[in-house]
């Protein structure tokens, strides 16, 4: 039987599998943060973040032309950004401007786009906690790209300025001004290996590289109480570096060096490990309307996670939050006791009474730290008998030998 060419062609066509019809994939969601603040450095900041991790940054003077820099962000940071946007209804039908009269801090805009879905909001200063957290995270990302761009420019055109930029960079690093530290490795490596920059800049860049690579994990704890108008925070690194704050909400940041023993630091990270480094499902619980929250953040290399809880905290965070509160109480009483003994003996009975209460409640991370000072008071002939008796009472609660 003869088969015509047309029939053969049809049979051949039928034998070829027909691929399924491909529908256009919707574009990934995109979030843009813009800040305009004439006179600042930079005056104009634009940060665009894609849900797929793509990102671009443009920081410049208002009179300069756009020069966007593209880069990528790790999933942990991207997920956190879009989770905060979701809490703000993707900037639809939301008012973020504070009703209080606040000086110009730079006009900000947040925009969300996904297909036909769009939302946008503008503000100078906000008291919305989710918006403030989103603004802080965007500014930390933008700040990192700004320093990278500064160093890259100076390596080409102004090598004498590199050392001062590295000093400023280190100050921001000390104050937790960045996220995603691995992004700085290429430019710092370039500085460290460039023999054309001053030796001090090379040395500082190398030290910063070692610090970023060896710092390992860091954990941040924040306590925010609007009813008490109080803010407290602890930054603690596995390398032993740390800082803390205790202040009113409206006061500026004022981190102080945190001095804790290796055993306290080790226990903090052991409790963090038991919380699965904030990975556990349901660990991020948004604060209730009581205006009190505990905020935790964990960073190690490319990993960055946060958890927020209102009291009482969930079981998987309770021990960790309790321990950080114990560290804060310990640091506060240590500072007050040192001040009372050195400058204000009138305050000593009050501090000793507060210390006794803290010991009785188990509110200290390492109560044995106070034993040497308490023994000094218990034995000191220059202290009042009531003060010596109270010191002996606390020593007894601590299980220490009571001086006579």
């Amino acid at each position: 039987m003869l088969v015509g060419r047309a029939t053969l062609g049809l049979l051949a066509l039928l034998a070829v599998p027909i691929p399924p019809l491909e529908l256009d994939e919707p574009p990934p969601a995109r979030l843009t943060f813009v800040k305009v603040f004439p006179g600042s450095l930079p005056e104009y900041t634009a940060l665009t973040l894609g849900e797929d991790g793509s990102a671009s940054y443009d920081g410049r003077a208002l009179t300069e032309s756009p020069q966007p820099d593209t880069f990528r962000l790790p999933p942990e940071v991207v997920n956190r950004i879009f989770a905060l946007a979701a809490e703000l209804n993707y900037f639809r039908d939301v008012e973020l401007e504070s009703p209080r009269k606040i000086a110009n801090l730079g006009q900000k805009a947040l925009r969300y786009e996904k297909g036909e879905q769009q939302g946008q909001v503008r503000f100078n200063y906000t008291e919305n906690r989710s918006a403030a957290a989103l603004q802080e995270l965007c500014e930390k990302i933008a700040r990192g790209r700004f320093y990278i761009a500064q160093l890259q420019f100076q390596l080409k055109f102004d090598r004498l300025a590199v050392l001062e930029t590295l000093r400023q960079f280190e100050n921001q690093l000390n104050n937790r001004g960045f996220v995603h530290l691995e992004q700085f490795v290429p430019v710092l490596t370039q500085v460290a290996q460039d023999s054309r920059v001053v030796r001090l800049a090379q040395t500082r860049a190398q030290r910063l590289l070692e610090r970023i690579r060896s710092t390992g994990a860091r954990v941040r704890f924040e306590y925010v109480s609007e009813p008490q108008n109080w803010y407290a925070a602890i930054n603690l690194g596995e390398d032993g570096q740390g800082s803390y704050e205790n202040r009113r909400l409206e006061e500026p940041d004022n981190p102080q060096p945190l001095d804790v023993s290796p055993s306290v630091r080790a226990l903090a990270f052991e409790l963090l490990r038991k919380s699965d480094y904030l990975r556990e499902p349901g660990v991020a619980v948004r604060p209730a309307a009581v205006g009190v929250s505990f905020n935790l953040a964990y960073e190690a290399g490319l990993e960055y996670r946060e958890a927020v809880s209102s009291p009482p905290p969930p079981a998987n965070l309770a021990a960790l939050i309790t321990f950080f509160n114990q560290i804060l109480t310990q640091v506060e009483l240590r500072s007050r006791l040192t001040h009372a003994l050195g400058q204000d003996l009138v305050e000593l009975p009050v501090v000793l009474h507060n210390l006794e209460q803290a010991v009785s409640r188990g509110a200290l991370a390492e109560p044995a730290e106070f034993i040497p000072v308490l023994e000094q008071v218990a034995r000191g002939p220059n202290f009042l008998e009531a003060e010596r008796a109270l010191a002996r009472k606390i020593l007894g609660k601590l299980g220490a030998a009571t001086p006579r």
Side-chain angles (χ1 to χ4, degrees):
M1 176 179 174
L2 295 176
V3 181
R5 290 183 180 178
T7 305
L8 286 172
L10 179 59
L11 291 173
L13 181 61
L14 292 173
V16 176
I18 300 175
L21 182 64
E22 292 186 4
L23 300 176
D24 290 338
E25 288 290 330
R30 193 168 61 171
L31 184 148
T32 301
F33 168 78
V34 176
K35 179 178 178 180
V36 180
F37 196 2
S40 65
L41 187 66
E43 292 182 311
Y44 175 86
T45 297
L47 185 70
T48 300
L49 311 168
E51 207 170 21
D52 58 355
S54 61
S56 70
Y57 162 79
D58 185 19
R60 54 184 167 85
L62 288 170
T63 55
E64 293 177 339
S65 301
Q67 292 185 330
D69 160 44
T70 59
F71 60 102
R72 294 196 66 81
L73 286 168
E76 292 84 3
V77 177
V78 174
N79 293 342
R80 178 59 177 155
I81 287 170
F82 282 90
L84 288 168
E87 292 173 14
L88 296 166
N89 195 30
Y90 300 108
F91 319 134
R92 296 189 295 264
D93 304 318
V94 61
E95 175 60 49
L96 296 184
E97 188 63 65
S98 169
R100 296 191 292 168
K101 291 185 178 180
I102 302 292
N104 181 20
L105 301 175
Q107 289 300 310
K108 295 103 181 168
L110 288 163
R111 184 167 64 250
Y112 175 85
E113 302 168 273
K114 186 173 185 179
E116 296 182 357
Q117 301 178 44
Q118 294 188 4
Q120 181 169 299
V121 65
R122 299 175 184 272
F123 61 97
N124 170 55
Y125 174 78
T126 184
E127 296 179 30
N128 182 294
R129 205 170 299 162
S130 297
L134 179 56
Q135 176 191 336
E136 180 184 26
L137 192 50
C138 288
E139 289 190 338
K140 284 183 176 183
I141 295 168
R143 186 180 298 121
R145 302 313 300 183
F146 171 78
Y147 274 96
I148 289 173
Q150 284 283 94
L151 288 169
Q152 289 173 338
F153 175 86
Q154 291 167 356
L155 283 171
K156 291 181 179 179
F157 305 110
D158 191 7
R159 287 186 285 274
L160 290 177
V162 170
L163 180 59
E164 178 56 30
T165 300
L166 289 176
R167 289 194 183 106
Q168 296 171 11
F169 174 89
E170 187 166 15
N171 183 59
Q172 290 289 346
L173 186 63
N174 292 341
N175 289 296
R176 304 287 293 166
F178 304 119
V179 294
H180 181 31
L181 298 184
E182 287 293 321
Q183 67 180 318
F184 302 115
V185 170
V187 71
L188 290 175
T189 301
Q190 192 177 351
V191 175
Q193 295 176 353
D194 194 335
S195 59
R196 297 172 299 173
V197 300
V198 296
R199 183 64 181 167
L200 283 175
Q202 287 183 282
T203 304
R204 186 179 286 263
Q206 185 60 45
R207 188 175 74 236
L208 288 167
L209 273 172
E210 292 170 357
R211 180 175 169 188
I212 288 173
R213 286 168 170 162
S214 65
T215 291
R218 296 190 68 83
V219 61
R220 177 176 177 83
F221 167 78
E222 294 178 312
Y223 166 75
V224 182
S225 173
E226 293 177 3
Q228 295 178 327
N229 190 31
W230 200 253
Y231 173 87
I234 289 177
N235 279 307
L236 190 60
E238 278 186 318
D239 59 353
Q241 297 189 21
S243 64
Y244 76 97
E245 290 187 73
N246 253 327
R247 57 176 173 81
R248 297 188 182 278
L249 283 172
E250 70 272 11
E251 293 176 344
D253 294 352
N254 185 29
Q256 303 294 318
L258 177 66
D259 181 19
V260 296
S261 69
S263 60
V264 168
R265 183 173 70 251
L267 181 53
F269 279 90
E270 173 61 17
L271 292 171
L272 182 66
R273 184 191 66 78
K274 290 181 177 180
S275 76
D276 197 21
Y277 302 100
L278 314 183
R279 284 194 194 96
E280 292 190 10
V283 77
V285 181
R286 296 309 303 168
V290 295
V292 178
S293 69
F294 305 111
N295 311 324
L296 287 161
Y298 169 75
E299 185 172 359
L302 297 177
E303 292 186 78
Y304 180 83
R305 285 183 289 278
E306 290 185 343
V308 181
S309 170
S310 57
N316 52 359
L317 292 182
L320 184 60
I321 289 173
T322 297
F323 190 64
F324 276 119
N325 278 320
Q326 290 173 335
I327 294 175
L328 284 169
T329 302
Q330 177 129 356
V331 170
E332 178 194 4
L333 286 171
R334 177 201 298 157
S335 176
R336 290 176 57 200
L337 188 56
T338 301
H339 178 79
L341 290 172
Q343 302 179 41
D344 191 5
L345 280 175
V346 176
E347 185 69 13
L348 183 59
V350 177
V351 179
L352 288 174
H353 178 68
N354 293 155
L355 180 58
E356 180 197 6
Q357 290 180 321
V359 170
S360 299
R361 297 196 315 268
L364 301 173
E366 196 172 32
E369 173 197 326
F370 293 97
I371 290 177
V373 179
L374 291 168
E375 289 177 340
Q376 174 190 340
V377 174
R379 291 194 183 99
N382 297 326
F383 297 103
L384 299 175
E385 177 54 36
E387 295 167 346
R388 293 198 295 269
L390 188 50
R392 289 194 294 269
K393 182 179 180 182
I394 301 172
L395 284 168
K397 290 186 176 182
L398 293 174
T402 307
R404 295 295 177 186

